[in-house]
Amino acid sequence: MSNRDIPIGIFDSGIGGLTVLKEIARELPSESTIYLGDTARVPYGIRSPETVSRYSFENTRFLYSRGIKLLVVACNTVSSISLDAIRETVSIPVVGVIEPGAKAAVAATRNKKVGVIGTAATIRSSSYTKAIQAMDATVEVFGLACPLFVPLVEEGWTEGMVVELTAERYLKELKQKGIDTLVLGCTHYPLLKEVLARVMGGGVRLIDSAIETAREIRAILEAGSLARQKKDPLTREFYVTDSPDKFLEVGERFLGSRMEFIRKIELESEV
Ligand code: DGL
Protein backbone atom coordinates (compact mmCIF):
# COMPACT_ATOMS: atom_id res chain seq x y z
CA MET A 1 0.00 0.00 0.00
CA SER A 2 1.37 3.42 -0.86
CA ASN A 3 1.80 5.98 1.89
CA ARG A 4 -1.11 7.93 0.51
CA ASP A 5 -3.49 5.08 1.22
CA ILE A 6 -2.59 4.32 4.82
CA PRO A 7 -4.71 5.84 7.61
CA ILE A 8 -4.48 9.03 9.63
CA GLY A 9 -3.75 8.30 13.31
CA ILE A 10 -5.57 10.27 16.00
CA PHE A 11 -5.25 10.08 19.75
CA ASP A 12 -6.85 11.66 22.77
CA SER A 13 -7.02 10.90 26.46
CA GLY A 14 -10.55 9.62 25.96
CA ILE A 15 -13.67 10.28 24.01
CA GLY A 16 -13.20 14.01 23.41
CA GLY A 17 -10.95 13.56 20.37
CA LEU A 18 -13.96 12.16 18.53
CA THR A 19 -14.90 15.81 17.98
CA VAL A 20 -11.74 16.06 15.87
CA LEU A 21 -12.37 12.72 14.16
CA LYS A 22 -15.88 13.84 13.22
CA GLU A 23 -14.55 16.98 11.57
CA ILE A 24 -11.81 15.02 9.77
CA ALA A 25 -14.49 12.65 8.44
CA ARG A 26 -16.49 15.64 7.23
CA GLU A 27 -13.56 17.51 5.69
CA LEU A 28 -11.77 14.43 4.26
CA PRO A 29 -14.49 11.84 3.65
CA SER A 30 -12.29 9.34 1.81
CA GLU A 31 -9.53 9.06 4.44
CA SER A 32 -9.18 6.00 6.69
CA THR A 33 -8.54 6.62 10.39
CA ILE A 34 -7.19 4.86 13.47
CA TYR A 35 -8.34 6.42 16.74
CA LEU A 36 -6.85 5.73 20.15
CA GLY A 37 -8.64 6.86 23.30
CA ASP A 38 -6.59 6.34 26.45
CA THR A 39 -9.75 5.80 28.48
CA ALA A 40 -7.99 3.99 31.32
CA ARG A 41 -5.97 7.09 32.16
CA VAL A 42 -8.33 9.97 31.33
CA PRO A 43 -8.29 12.78 32.42
CA TYR A 44 -4.84 14.04 31.42
CA GLY A 45 -5.71 17.64 32.22
CA ILE A 46 -5.15 17.28 35.96
CA ARG A 47 -1.77 15.53 35.64
CA SER A 48 1.80 16.78 35.69
CA PRO A 49 3.58 17.64 32.41
CA GLU A 50 5.94 14.65 32.93
CA THR A 51 3.05 12.21 33.20
CA VAL A 52 1.19 13.70 30.23
CA SER A 53 4.37 13.45 28.14
CA ARG A 54 4.94 9.82 29.10
CA TYR A 55 1.35 8.89 28.20
CA SER A 56 1.53 10.75 24.93
CA PHE A 57 4.75 8.97 23.86
CA GLU A 58 3.09 5.61 24.53
CA ASN A 59 0.05 6.61 22.48
CA THR A 60 2.26 7.89 19.66
CA ARG A 61 4.30 4.70 19.59
CA PHE A 62 1.16 2.56 19.38
CA LEU A 63 -0.32 4.47 16.43
CA TYR A 64 2.99 4.94 14.63
CA SER A 65 3.74 1.22 14.78
CA ARG A 66 0.45 0.49 12.99
CA GLY A 67 1.51 2.50 9.93
CA ILE A 68 -0.04 5.96 9.69
CA LYS A 69 0.75 8.83 7.32
CA LEU A 70 -0.07 11.70 9.69
CA LEU A 71 -0.58 11.93 13.43
CA VAL A 72 -3.25 14.12 14.98
CA VAL A 73 -2.77 14.98 18.62
CA ALA A 74 -6.48 15.50 19.27
CA CYS A 75 -5.95 16.59 22.85
CA ASN A 76 -5.35 20.17 23.90
CA THR A 77 -3.51 19.11 27.02
CA VAL A 78 -0.98 16.99 25.10
CA SER A 79 -0.74 19.58 22.31
CA SER A 80 0.07 22.19 24.98
CA ILE A 81 2.75 20.13 26.68
CA SER A 82 4.49 17.68 24.37
CA LEU A 83 3.79 18.42 20.72
CA ASP A 84 7.37 19.38 19.85
CA ALA A 85 8.77 16.36 21.68
CA ILE A 86 6.37 14.04 19.83
CA ARG A 87 7.45 15.57 16.51
CA GLU A 88 11.02 14.54 17.27
CA THR A 89 10.07 10.88 17.68
CA VAL A 90 8.34 10.29 14.32
CA SER A 91 9.02 11.02 10.66
CA ILE A 92 5.48 11.95 9.62
CA PRO A 93 3.57 15.23 9.96
CA VAL A 94 2.17 15.79 13.46
CA VAL A 95 -0.78 18.15 13.87
CA GLY A 96 -1.88 19.56 17.22
CA VAL A 97 -5.03 21.47 18.04
CA ILE A 98 -3.66 24.68 19.57
CA GLU A 99 -2.28 26.52 16.50
CA PRO A 100 -5.40 26.02 14.35
CA GLY A 101 -7.68 27.21 17.17
CA ALA A 102 -5.46 30.20 17.91
CA LYS A 103 -5.38 31.19 14.24
CA ALA A 104 -9.17 31.10 14.00
CA ALA A 105 -9.54 33.14 17.19
CA VAL A 106 -7.22 35.88 15.92
CA ALA A 107 -9.19 36.01 12.67
CA ALA A 108 -12.53 36.13 14.50
CA THR A 109 -12.02 38.72 17.23
CA ARG A 110 -13.05 42.29 16.56
CA ASN A 111 -12.51 43.83 19.99
CA LYS A 112 -9.26 41.89 20.55
CA LYS A 113 -10.49 40.24 23.72
CA VAL A 114 -10.39 36.46 23.51
CA GLY A 115 -11.37 33.93 26.16
CA VAL A 116 -9.88 30.44 26.26
CA ILE A 117 -11.38 27.61 28.28
CA GLY A 118 -9.55 24.32 28.80
CA THR A 119 -8.20 21.86 31.31
CA ALA A 120 -6.07 23.05 34.21
CA ALA A 121 -2.92 21.80 32.43
CA THR A 122 -3.75 23.60 29.17
CA ILE A 123 -4.52 26.88 30.90
CA ARG A 124 -1.46 26.58 33.15
CA SER A 125 0.76 26.09 30.09
CA SER A 126 -0.54 29.36 28.51
CA SER A 127 -0.20 27.60 25.16
CA TYR A 128 -3.15 29.45 23.59
CA THR A 129 -2.05 32.82 24.98
CA LYS A 130 1.42 32.33 23.52
CA ALA A 131 0.11 31.11 20.16
CA ILE A 132 -2.47 33.91 19.86
CA GLN A 133 -0.08 36.66 20.92
CA ALA A 134 2.61 35.36 18.57
CA MET A 135 0.12 36.02 15.75
CA ASP A 136 -1.20 39.32 17.12
CA ALA A 137 0.42 40.83 20.20
CA THR A 138 -2.45 43.28 20.68
CA VAL A 139 -4.99 40.56 21.49
CA GLU A 140 -5.78 40.21 25.19
CA VAL A 141 -6.28 36.59 26.21
CA PHE A 142 -8.23 35.45 29.27
CA GLY A 143 -7.71 31.80 30.17
CA LEU A 144 -10.01 29.82 32.44
CA ALA A 145 -9.81 26.19 33.53
CA CYS A 146 -13.15 24.38 33.59
CA PRO A 147 -12.21 20.94 34.92
CA LEU A 148 -15.76 19.72 35.58
CA PHE A 149 -16.73 19.79 31.91
CA VAL A 150 -14.61 16.74 31.04
CA PRO A 151 -16.25 14.25 33.46
CA LEU A 152 -19.68 15.54 32.43
CA VAL A 153 -18.96 14.78 28.77
CA GLU A 154 -17.32 11.42 29.54
CA GLU A 155 -20.54 10.58 31.39
CA GLY A 156 -22.60 11.56 28.35
CA TRP A 157 -24.16 14.58 30.10
CA THR A 158 -23.97 17.18 27.36
CA GLU A 159 -27.19 19.04 28.11
CA GLY A 160 -29.57 19.66 30.99
CA MET A 161 -29.57 21.57 34.22
CA VAL A 162 -26.32 20.27 35.69
CA VAL A 163 -24.35 21.32 32.60
CA GLU A 164 -26.16 24.67 32.33
CA LEU A 165 -25.47 25.55 35.96
CA THR A 166 -21.84 24.43 35.75
CA ALA A 167 -21.33 26.51 32.60
CA GLU A 168 -22.99 29.57 34.10
CA ARG A 169 -20.82 29.37 37.19
CA TYR A 170 -17.59 28.97 35.23
CA LEU A 171 -18.27 31.44 32.43
CA LYS A 172 -19.56 34.33 34.56
CA GLU A 173 -15.98 35.49 35.04
CA LEU A 174 -15.22 35.51 31.31
CA LYS A 175 -18.45 37.30 30.43
CA GLN A 176 -17.38 40.15 32.72
CA LYS A 177 -14.16 40.57 30.70
CA GLY A 178 -16.14 41.61 27.63
CA ILE A 179 -14.68 38.98 25.29
CA ASP A 180 -16.18 38.64 21.81
CA THR A 181 -14.52 35.29 21.02
CA LEU A 182 -14.26 32.13 23.09
CA VAL A 183 -11.89 29.28 22.18
CA LEU A 184 -13.14 25.84 23.18
CA GLY A 185 -9.62 24.76 24.16
CA CYS A 186 -10.43 21.20 25.10
CA THR A 187 -11.52 18.41 22.80
CA HIS A 188 -14.52 17.63 24.96
CA TYR A 189 -16.04 21.10 24.90
CA PRO A 190 -17.50 21.10 21.37
CA LEU A 191 -19.94 18.51 22.72
CA LEU A 192 -21.21 21.24 25.04
CA LYS A 193 -21.31 23.85 22.28
CA GLU A 194 -25.05 24.52 22.43
CA VAL A 195 -25.05 25.11 26.17
CA LEU A 196 -21.87 27.21 26.02
CA ALA A 197 -23.29 29.35 23.19
CA ARG A 198 -26.49 29.94 25.14
CA VAL A 199 -24.66 30.87 28.33
CA MET A 200 -22.20 33.22 26.57
CA GLY A 201 -24.94 34.89 24.49
CA GLY A 202 -25.15 35.87 20.83
CA GLY A 203 -22.34 38.44 20.84
CA VAL A 204 -19.62 35.88 21.50
CA ARG A 205 -18.21 33.73 18.72
CA LEU A 206 -17.21 30.19 19.74
CA ILE A 207 -14.06 28.74 18.16
CA ASP A 208 -14.06 25.00 17.72
CA SER A 209 -10.44 23.87 17.36
CA ALA A 210 -11.65 20.58 15.86
CA ILE A 211 -13.00 22.27 12.72
CA GLU A 212 -9.85 24.35 12.26
CA THR A 213 -7.62 21.32 12.82
CA ALA A 214 -9.44 19.30 10.14
CA ARG A 215 -8.89 22.15 7.66
CA GLU A 216 -5.20 22.23 8.49
CA ILE A 217 -4.92 18.45 7.96
CA ARG A 218 -6.49 18.79 4.52
CA ALA A 219 -3.95 21.47 3.61
CA ILE A 220 -1.03 19.30 4.78
CA LEU A 221 -2.25 16.22 2.89
CA GLU A 222 -2.75 18.22 -0.28
CA ALA A 223 0.58 20.00 -0.06
CA GLY A 224 2.43 16.72 0.59
CA SER A 225 0.54 14.71 -2.08
CA LEU A 226 -0.67 12.49 0.74
CA ALA A 227 -4.42 12.43 0.05
CA ARG A 228 -5.87 8.93 -0.32
CA GLN A 229 -6.29 7.69 -3.90
CA LYS A 230 -7.85 4.27 -3.39
CA LYS A 231 -11.48 3.94 -4.31
CA ASP A 232 -12.35 0.97 -2.06
CA PRO A 233 -14.15 1.66 1.24
CA LEU A 234 -12.19 3.42 3.96
CA THR A 235 -11.60 1.87 7.38
CA ARG A 236 -12.35 3.30 10.83
CA GLU A 237 -10.57 1.55 13.68
CA PHE A 238 -11.02 2.46 17.33
CA TYR A 239 -8.77 1.40 20.21
CA VAL A 240 -9.32 2.09 23.89
CA THR A 241 -7.31 1.24 26.97
CA ASP A 242 -10.30 0.42 29.20
CA SER A 243 -13.58 -1.40 28.64
CA PRO A 244 -15.17 -0.04 25.43
CA ASP A 245 -18.78 0.05 26.74
CA LYS A 246 -19.15 3.69 27.72
CA PHE A 247 -16.92 4.86 24.85
CA LEU A 248 -19.15 2.98 22.40
CA GLU A 249 -22.38 4.27 23.86
CA VAL A 250 -21.41 7.95 24.00
CA GLY A 251 -19.20 7.80 20.88
CA GLU A 252 -21.77 6.25 18.56
CA ARG A 253 -24.38 8.73 19.71
CA PHE A 254 -22.00 11.61 19.04
CA LEU A 255 -20.67 10.35 15.69
CA GLY A 256 -24.12 9.27 14.55
CA SER A 257 -22.68 6.03 13.16
CA ARG A 258 -21.70 2.53 14.36
CA MET A 259 -18.19 1.78 15.54
CA GLU A 260 -17.81 -1.55 13.79
CA PHE A 261 -14.21 -2.10 14.81
CA ILE A 262 -13.27 -1.40 18.42
CA ARG A 263 -10.65 -3.16 20.56
CA LYS A 264 -9.32 -2.79 24.07
CA ILE A 265 -5.53 -2.74 24.11
CA GLU A 266 -2.66 -2.54 26.61
CA LEU A 267 -0.16 0.20 25.83
CA GLU A 268 3.50 -0.66 26.20
CA SER A 269 5.29 1.50 28.70
CA GLU A 270 8.70 2.99 27.91
CA VAL A 271 10.58 1.08 30.60
N1 DGL B 1 -8.61 15.73 25.82
C1 DGL B 1 -8.29 16.64 26.88
C2 DGL B 1 -7.98 18.02 26.28
O1 DGL B 1 -8.37 18.32 25.18
C3 DGL B 1 -9.39 16.78 27.89
C4 DGL B 1 -9.60 15.58 28.75
C5 DGL B 1 -8.49 15.32 29.72
O2 DGL B 1 -8.30 16.07 30.67
O3 DGL B 1 -7.84 14.32 29.50
O4 DGL B 1 -7.36 18.79 26.94
Side-chain angles (χ1 to χ4, degrees), residues 12-13 76-77 160 184 186 191 193 219:
D12 178 41
S13 53
N76 288 259
T77 303
L184 308 183
C186 172
L191 282 113
K193 213 189 257 177

Side-chain angles (χ1 to χ4, degrees), residues 13-31:
S13 53
I15 206 159
L18 292 182
T19 55
V20 181
L21 172 67
K22 192 173 183 173
E23 294 307 329
I24 293 173
R26 212 192 310 259
E27 186 77 22
L28 298 157
S30 52
E31 295 295 337

Side-chain angles (χ1 to χ4, degrees), residues 36-54:
L36 168 63
D38 190 7
T39 48
R41 303 189 290 195
V42 69
Y44 283 10
I46 55 166
R47 304 190 195 283
S48 68
E50 295 73 31
T51 302
V52 171
S53 292
R54 180 159 52 84

Side-chain angles (χ1 to χ4, degrees), residues 188-207:
H188 288 57
Y189 299 176
L191 282 113
L192 303 174
K193 213 189 257 177
E194 278 174 33
V195 174
L196 299 177
R198 205 159 42 237
V199 171
M200 288 310 291
V204 177
R205 172 111 182 256
L206 301 190
I207 302 294

Side-chain angles (χ1 to χ4, degrees), residues 15 18 39 238 240 242-263:
I15 206 159
L18 292 182
T39 48
F238 296 91
V240 285
D242 199 359
S243 153
D245 303 351
K246 194 81 197 170
F247 185 89
L248 257 179
E249 182 200 318
V250 180
E252 287 188 344
R253 182 151 35 96
F254 172 68
L255 290 176
S257 58
R258 297 281 319 275
M259 291 179 182
E260 308 282 353
F261 180 105
I262 181 159
R263 300 272 185 282

Side-chain angles (χ1 to χ4, degrees), residues 3-265:
N3 259 2
R4 305 180 69 124
D5 297 319
I6 61 178
I8 294 172
I10 304 157
F11 80 80
D12 178 41
S13 53
I15 206 159
L18 292 182
T19 55
V20 181
L21 172 67
K22 192 173 183 173
E23 294 307 329
I24 293 173
R26 212 192 310 259
E27 186 77 22
L28 298 157
S30 52
E31 295 295 337
S32 294
T33 54
I34 304 183
Y35 183 97
L36 168 63
D38 190 7
T39 48
R41 303 189 290 195
V42 69
Y44 283 10
I46 55 166
R47 304 190 195 283
S48 68
E50 295 73 31
T51 302
V52 171
S53 292
R54 180 159 52 84
Y55 290 174
S56 57
F57 289 137
E58 290 169 12
N59 297 339
T60 299
R61 206 166 329 118
F62 172 78
L63 288 173
Y64 195 54
S65 70
R66 305 199 76 81
I68 52 171
K69 61 183 173 185
L70 180 145
L71 176 66
V72 186
V73 177
C75 175
N76 288 259
T77 303
V78 175
S79 298
S80 296
I81 292 172
S82 40
L83 196 64
D84 290 339
I86 291 173
R87 285 194 171 120
E88 280 171 24
T89 67
V90 294
S91 57
I92 52 174
V94 179
V95 180
V97 285
I98 307 292
E99 287 278 322
K103 208 191 290 175
V106 170
T109 185
R110 292 287 159 263
N111 72 0
K112 309 238 178 203
K113 287 181 195 287
V114 172
V116 177
I117 52 175
T119 65
T122 297
I123 299 304
R124 211 180 308 121
S125 75
S126 300
S127 56
Y128 273 103
T129 308
K130 288 178 203 152
I132 289 171
Q133 291 182 340
M135 292 171 205
D136 183 344
T138 66
V139 176
E140 248 188 299
V141 185
F142 303 93
L144 181 73
C146 304
L148 288 178
F149 286 160
V150 168
L152 286 172
V153 170
E154 294 280 332
E155 196 52 37
W157 291 16
T158 52
E159 54 190 37
M161 225 166 71
V162 176
V163 183
E164 297 266 351
L165 288 175
T166 311
E168 266 165 31
R169 174 79 190 267
Y170 276 138
L171 300 178
K172 199 164 138 206
E173 191 183 321
L174 279 182
K175 283 170 85 172
Q176 285 164 356
K177 306 280 187 207
I179 59 166
D180 72 350
T181 304
L182 178 64
V183 180
L184 308 183
C186 172
T187 45
H188 288 57
Y189 299 176
L191 282 113
L192 303 174
K193 213 189 257 177
E194 278 174 33
V195 174
L196 299 177
R198 205 159 42 237
V199 171
M200 288 310 291
V204 177
R205 172 111 182 256
L206 301 190
I207 302 294
D208 180 342
S209 291
I211 296 176
E212 308 306 330
T213 303
R215 289 191 185 131
E216 169 138 352
I217 294 165
R218 165 191 278 284
I220 293 173
L221 292 186
E222 282 171 2
S225 301
L226 280 169
R228 187 165 178 260
Q229 301 278 283
K230 267 194 158 178
K231 291 283 172 273
D232 47 334
L234 57 86
T235 55
R236 293 232 183 278
E237 294 180 13
F238 296 91
Y239 296 89
V240 285
T241 51
D242 199 359
S243 153
D245 303 351
K246 194 81 197 170
F247 185 89
L248 257 179
E249 182 200 318
V250 180
E252 287 188 344
R253 182 151 35 96
F254 172 68
L255 290 176
S257 58
R258 297 281 319 275
M259 291 179 182
E260 308 282 353
F261 180 105
I262 181 159
R263 300 272 185 282
K264 176 179 179 290
I265 48 130

